[in-house]
Amino acid sequence: MRTVIPVVIVAGFLGSGKTTLLNYLLRNNRGTRIGVVVNDFGAVNIDAMLVAGQVDAMVSLGNGCVCCAVDVSELDDLFGRLAQPRSAVDVIVVEASGLAEPRNLIRMVIANPNPRIAYGGLVEVVDAELFDTTSAQHPELVTHLRLADLVLVNKADRVAPDALAALRARITEWVGQVPVYATTHGRVDPGLLFDERAREEPKVAQQLSFDALLDDHDHDDPDHRHLHDDYVSASFTSKRALDPRALVAFLEDPPPGLFRAKGCVAFAVAGERRKFELHVVGRHVVFTPGAWARGEERVSNLVLIGAGLDTEAALDRLHATVFDGDEPLDEQTMLGVWRYTPR
């Protein structure tokens, strides 16, 4: 099958910690090849300098905001270069300018004509210490948060626990079921944002890399919290076909904390024997119909990934989508699925 490369957009106001997050992902993923598009607002691309040498492939836009670019094809060309098979890139991360408009960035990625490119979600980074001040000066930041698939409240170590809890609660009121996670120094488990690739390393003696020396993980610090303390995954399997209406209802009203879902499903619809691949990032849902491989059992398998996700409740809801009737459903029940199927 053709490998599809997710494009993850990292946005947030100036100084919120986007570059810190990106550097952490580059140093702490387990074999994933990351391509980066760095967009710094200004003539000197300082952000590109900060990540230079830590990335498999990097292209920079130093002529202003990506979202304000007159020639949108420039971004398409950058994605095209990173998505070439010889680049061997597994995921593309766009670090947006602190002045960027996330809605336009999302549209650019979704509208990209390259079949190897797919939207991988919007991660909004918030400065826990300065959010009240910056949002008062720039009310549009709240609108940006409502577009996010994941909100990271960064610099959590700089505010009191009660103030941090109050800020997370306010943001949750704005974003609904979207995960809102507090972090320090941009420390995010890469597995929450994208599928990590385990690669075989040559079995020869290796010098400790500069990146490893820079790793600021303090494994002996009892107060250091890892994202995977709250980052969880759950697996769902059913040998009985699903009711498409019930599954779409689940996806349109997802359990709080769900960030990603992936897998394949079979539907209990008359005449419908195809295999439907499902990819979910935040509110973005895509069904792709295909064929079951020869000898492959017609079984639905899904993996749910989230932060603060109640996996038991989520799996209970998924099990409720299993069709238990005697007669197959009418083909009209597939209308909800077709809404999320690319034409």
Side-chain angles (χ1 to χ4, degrees):
M1 292 181 59
R2 181 182 65 232
T3 301
V4 177
I5 302 172
V7 178
V8 178
I9 301 170
V10 176
F13 194 67
L14 298 166
S16 58
K18 299 184 298 296
T19 301
T20 302
L21 166 63
L22 177 56
N23 278 307
Y24 184 82
L25 292 174
L26 295 174
R27 292 203 300 265
N28 293 277
N29 76 85
R30 293 175 282 275
T32 304
R33 298 189 189 278
I34 304 176
V36 176
V37 176
V38 182
N39 173 225
D40 184 55
F41 193 87
V44 180
N45 203 329
I46 297 175
D47 284 351
M49 296 177 188
L50 294 178
V51 300
Q54 300 183 41
V55 65
D56 295 283
M58 181 173 70
V59 287
S60 300
L61 290 176
N63 59 340
C65 271
V66 170
C67 65
C68 302
V70 175
D71 184 6
V72 177
S73 65
E74 182 179 6
L75 190 60
D76 289 342
D77 291 342
L78 297 181
F79 288 156
R81 285 160 53 190
L82 289 173
Q84 292 177 7
R86 65 173 177 269
S87 298
V89 166
D90 300 311
V91 60
I92 297 171
V93 178
V94 177
E95 184 197 345
S97 158
L99 304 177
E101 170 53 59
R103 186 185 305 275
N104 292 340
L105 287 172
I106 294 171
R107 287 172 179 165
M108 286 181 179
V109 176
I110 293 177
N112 187 279
N114 193 320
R116 299 196 69 218
I117 294 296
Y119 177 61
L122 171 66
V123 179
E124 276 284 337
V125 184
V126 168
D127 185 330
E129 184 179 31
L130 300 178
F131 181 75
D132 286 341
T133 300
T134 54
S135 61
Q137 297 173 343
H138 304 276
E140 67 273 13
L141 292 180
V142 175
T143 302
H144 294 174
L145 288 176
R146 292 193 174 107
L147 298 171
D149 300 296
L150 174 67
V151 178
L152 296 180
V153 182
N154 196 37
K155 304 183 184 180
D157 56 325
R158 299 190 183 184
V159 298
D162 55 345
L164 178 63
L167 176 58
R168 292 179 68 183
R170 284 168 51 207
I171 293 175
T172 298
E173 289 181 4
W174 294 328
V175 301
Q177 295 115 321
V178 171
V180 179
Y181 189 80
T183 188
T184 301
H185 303 304
R187 290 169 172 160
V188 176
D189 192 312
L192 178 58
L193 304 182
F194 48 78
D195 294 337
E196 296 190 89
R197 303 284 193 265
R199 299 185 187 277
E200 289 279 338
E201 295 293 338
K203 295 184 178 180
V204 295
Q206 293 181 328
Q207 182 179 358
L208 187 64
S209 70
F210 181 63
D211 290 347
L213 291 170
L214 283 175
D215 184 2
D216 54 7
H217 247 87
D218 186 355
H219 299 283
D220 297 322
D221 181 2
D223 295 325
H224 172 62
R225 297 184 68 251
H226 298 260
L227 180 66
H228 49 252
D229 292 338
D230 293 82
Y231 152 45
V232 295
S233 63
S235 298
F236 165 80
T237 299
S238 175
K239 293 186 177 182
R240 295 164 60 190
L242 310 186
D243 181 335
R245 298 166 302 185
L247 180 60
V248 169
F250 171 87
L251 298 173
E252 291 181 339
D253 181 25
L258 179 65
F259 177 49
R260 295 167 60 216
K262 56 186 178 179
C264 59
V265 294
F267 291 124
V269 175
E272 185 55 80
R273 302 292 298 175
R274 283 175 291 185
K275 174 182 183 178
F276 284 80
E277 291 188 7
L278 172 63
H279 291 275
V280 178
V281 177
R283 305 173 182 86
H284 191 70
V285 179
V286 175
F287 284 100
T288 304
W292 300 90
R294 184 183 298 274
E296 184 179 9
E297 193 174 5
R298 195 168 179 265
V299 174
S300 296
N301 287 293
L302 292 174
V303 175
L304 307 180
I305 301 171
L309 174 67
D310 184 337
T311 56
E312 184 176 351
L315 290 175
D316 284 345
R317 288 187 57 192
L318 270 181
H319 283 293
T321 69
V322 176
F323 182 65
D324 58 3
D326 296 326
E327 296 295 327
L329 294 166
D330 185 88
E331 62 181 13
Q332 294 296 313
T333 60
M334 290 290 291
L335 292 177
V337 173
W338 300 133
R339 283 203 305 272
Y340 298 105
T341 303
R343 299 300 180 186

